[in-house]
Amino acid sequence: MLPTVSKGRAPSHVRSSPLLPQYLRRIVKWQQMDIEYTFWQMLHLCTSPKVVYHHTKYHKQTKNQWARDDPAFIVICCLLLIVATSAYCAAYSESVAHAVFTIFSVLVFHFLLVGVILATCCWFLTNNYLREEATNSHVVEQHVEWLYAFDVHCNSFFPVFMVLYVFQYFVSPLLLAHGFIPVLLSNLFFMVAISYYHYLNFLGYDVLPFLDKTTFFLYPIGLVIIFSPLSILGGFNPTRYFMNLYFR
């Protein structure tokens, strides 16, 4: 990842910036993507997420970077989002134009734009407040790569996608009904998805040996556990809320 020739004494996270253009160029080169490994990661993110981040250490040892150099994960996530959102639109959308707008909104704003914002916030937070300083001048300072922060977001998002876009779709007729049971189930869906997102976020940064106090990323789970019962008691149905936001 690091250039062989460098000018000046720029920090390592600044010197690694050429990775992003190379990453973007590979997005249009499907034949260079490791699709099989990507699906392996997606499966284990839902079942054994620690295994995925254990392999991240090997990636650092072999390629001297924490971030993926293969854009297959984000490409497949985008394709799956398009398929899932299209299924919702086929069931609930009123017109083709509205369906196209909904798919575009979910892909560009909910996944990519929100992902860029969250990744940037985590990248800034970890590099400025959670990073341990080098103990002596002979130790190379390490920084969280922005692309790695975005990788962590994508990893954390995939189980959310499975819960709120896939599983929820098949039980949406029940969740959209009135009554206590739909409210309870809908809140449980969102509580599990959001909590798991933050847990995977924690795992993604906890694996980096130069970060300290990464348990900070678990704190939002406490808020979710507190507010979910209040939401249930208040009769708030998050599934109905978001479905009304998009389709009514």
Side-chain angles (χ1 to χ4, degrees), residues 32-46:
Q32 295 184 8
M33 299 182 191
D34 192 341
I35 306 301
E36 182 178 352
Y37 179 62
T38 297
F39 281 117
W40 178 90
Q41 286 182 310
M42 289 177 168
L43 172 63
H44 283 80
L45 283 169
C46 298

Side-chain angles (χ1 to χ4, degrees), residues 126-194:
T126 50
N127 280 320
N128 288 278
Y129 298 103
L130 302 182
R131 186 171 57 87
E132 292 181 335
E133 297 294 335
T135 55
N136 58 69
S137 57
H138 299 288
V139 177
V140 177
E141 279 195 2
Q142 298 189 70
H143 295 78
V144 177
E145 306 150 4
W146 184 89
L147 197 54
Y148 179 77
F150 190 70
D151 281 347
V152 171
H153 163 74
C154 292
N155 289 347
S156 303
F157 176 82
F158 182 74
V160 174
F161 164 79
M162 293 300 300
V163 174
L164 298 185
Y165 286 80
V166 179
F167 297 151
Q168 185 176 237
Y169 173 79
F170 292 105
V171 295
S172 58
L174 171 62
L175 298 179
L176 292 173
H178 294 278
F180 176 75
I181 298 300
V183 169
L184 175 64
L185 292 178
S186 178
N187 277 278
L188 288 177
F189 266 75
F190 276 81
M191 182 180 70
V192 170
I194 296 173

Side-chain angles (χ1 to χ4, degrees), residues 212-231:
D212 189 24
K213 300 178 180 177
T214 52
T215 51
F216 170 83
F217 293 102
L218 293 175
Y219 293 166
I221 298 178
L223 297 177
V224 173
I225 294 174
I226 291 173
F227 284 108
S228 290
L230 298 178
S231 177

Side-chain angles (χ1 to χ4, degrees), residues 113-125:
L113 182 60
V114 171
V116 167
I117 293 172
L118 291 175
T120 302
C121 290
C122 291
W123 170 79
F124 177 83
L125 175 67

